[in-house]
Amino acid sequence: MRRLRRTAALRDLVRETRLEAADLVLPLFVEANPGGSDTHPARTPIATMPGIDRLSIGEAVREAGEAVALGLPAVLLFGIPAEKDAHGSGAYDDEGIVQLATRAIKDAHPDLLVITDVCLCEYTDHGHCGLLKPDPLSAGPDGAQVIDNDGSVELIAQTAVSHARAGADVVAPSDMMDGRVAAIRAALDEEGLGDTPIMAYSSKFASAFYGPFREAAGSAPAFGDRRSYQLDPGNGAEALRETLLDVDEGADMVMVKPALPYLDVLRRVKDEAGIPVAAYNVSGEYAMLKAAAAAGYLDERAAVLETLTSIRRAGADIIITYHAKDAARWLQ
Ligand code: PBG
């Protein structure tokens, strides 16, 4: 076996999995603030994600320009609205933060793909990914609140249409409500937006690795958790079922999220879905490597490139990662 490992040229020749900037998507956090003053800086660092900032629209456009220069094909937009309410109305407001940022980025960089995260959690004051209603199974004034699946789906579809109208190239629902892909497909088609693809967060697990993101987006649930709508970490077959349902409902791409603790799921999804598969190398995975590198425990460049290669090898056609700019630089 060692004959083909002897020189770099031979190893390159027989390498099975290649990592390219063209497969990486850079997530951006866009904040609804005027930018530039002391009280409203144009960039707000995220403490748990060193190197990643919340951006004003102007800074997001600048960051998009850097992505283009580095050969990255796409950004994934998350919005942090000025105000939140029970119905997450900022999500489907045609003048909302993601809609404004999408228009600004597409104006400046028409060839860069803008993918938008479609969810209510950044826009609801309770931080859940959908609407709440009194739990019909626990009566009384102190009864628990539960997710209103079908009511949420309607607003999620409205959000996707609003993003597509603003110029989003791809909409990516991350809410995990049942039936949302079909509802989004129908709503887009009805509005004459039949050419807008859906990247469905299909295998989205109820994960501890979203912690830093929730600090970044201010979207931690005010009470309870997301286990009634996101997948249980022990369930691989169920992830596959979710994926095939989304394919059936009209998803153009599916996603596995997080990536590293779910590489087995990624392989199963790649083998069965028959459509492009994305993997989300999430905030906690990023924070883990950055912390180890900062402490001097790991060589950051080598660890990041090995990690991203492993995600590709497990079956990802596309990797969404906060390391995208660094990786693109290192791969040049
Ligand atoms: C919104 C959403 C989340 C992430 C992407 N979209 C957070 C969550 O579900 O709590 C996490 C991304 C990351 O951790 O990098 N629903």
Side-chain angles (χ1 to χ4, degrees):
M1 295 308 293
R2 291 186 51 248
R3 274 197 293 268
L4 295 180
R5 297 177 196 152
R6 209 169 46 82
T7 66
L10 280 167
R11 289 192 296 272
D12 274 353
L13 181 70
V14 300
R15 182 161 302 128
E16 298 169 36
T17 305
R18 288 180 198 281
L19 191 60
E20 290 176 53
D23 302 318
L24 305 179
V25 176
L26 175 68
L28 298 179
F29 297 102
V30 194
E31 194 173 14
N33 72 29
S37 72
D38 282 351
T39 43
H40 294 287
R43 281 176 178 264
T44 314
I46 300 162
T48 49
M49 300 176 73
I52 306 294
D53 300 325
R54 295 183 184 200
L55 309 166
S56 64
I57 289 178
E59 287 299 303
V61 171
R62 190 208 300 242
E63 196 85 6
E66 269 187 58
V68 172
L70 287 166
L72 296 170
V75 293
L76 171 61
L77 297 189
F78 293 95
I80 301 143
E83 277 162 34
K84 306 185 186 225
D85 59 34
H87 297 98
S89 53
Y92 38 92
D93 177 353
D94 285 341
E95 301 300 315
I97 181 66
V98 164
Q99 290 82 347
L100 295 176
T102 298
R103 286 191 205 109
I105 292 173
K106 290 305 291 185
D107 268 355
H109 306 289
D111 294 335
L112 179 71
L113 295 170
V114 171
I115 308 173
T116 56
D117 183 87
V118 176
C119 194
L120 300 186
C121 70
E122 295 110 290
Y123 305 88
T124 51
D125 49 16
H126 46 71
H128 279 286
C129 300
L131 296 176
L132 298 176
K133 65 176 185 187
D135 184 355
L137 300 181
S138 75
D142 300 324
Q145 299 267 90
V146 290
I147 290 283
D148 170 6
N149 187 90
D150 297 2
S152 304
V153 163
E154 224 169 279
L155 298 182
I156 293 288
Q158 260 187 53
T159 303
V161 165
S162 175
H163 288 180
R165 259 202 226 114
D169 296 287
V170 178
V171 291
S174 68
D175 54 293
M176 289 298 279
M177 297 302 124
D178 289 333
R180 92 272 208 217
V181 172
I184 291 172
R185 186 70 272 153
L188 288 170
D189 291 355
E190 226 167 82
E191 295 294 319
L193 297 161
D195 285 334
T196 304
I198 300 172
M199 174 190 271
Y201 286 73
S202 302
S203 305
K204 181 173 178 180
F205 288 87
S207 171
F209 289 90
Y210 307 148
F213 172 95
R214 291 178 188 170
E215 185 212 318
S219 67
F223 64 91
D225 53 46
R226 304 207 201 291
R227 283 182 283 189
S228 78
Y229 41 104
Q230 298 180 347
L231 282 162
D232 188 282
N235 293 1
E238 189 184 347
L240 208 52
R241 208 148 67 235
E242 274 278 10
T243 301
L244 296 178
L245 277 172
D246 285 355
V247 172
D248 241 31
E249 289 182 27
D252 300 280
M253 296 174 257
V254 288
M255 194 194 298
V256 175
K257 177 187 172 189
L260 286 183
Y262 300 95
L263 292 182
D264 58 323
V265 174
L266 186 52
R267 170 44 56 191
R268 289 169 80 171
V269 165
K270 176 60 185 168
D271 287 344
E272 299 291 328
I275 60 176
V277 176
Y280 200 141
N281 177 224
V282 302
S283 58
E285 299 173 64
Y286 176 81
M288 218 163 41
L289 276 188
K290 293 300 275 193
Y297 298 163
L298 283 177
D299 172 342
E300 182 175 354
R301 174 181 172 147
V304 167
L305 293 177
E306 182 178 335
T307 295
L308 298 178
T309 299
S310 79
I311 297 170
R312 287 271 295 138
R313 192 193 60 238
D317 300 295
I318 302 157
I319 306 176
I320 301 161
T321 178
Y322 303 97
H323 299 290
K325 284 199 306 179
D326 283 335
R329 241 177 253 124
W330 294 327
L331 290 167
Q332 264 172 2

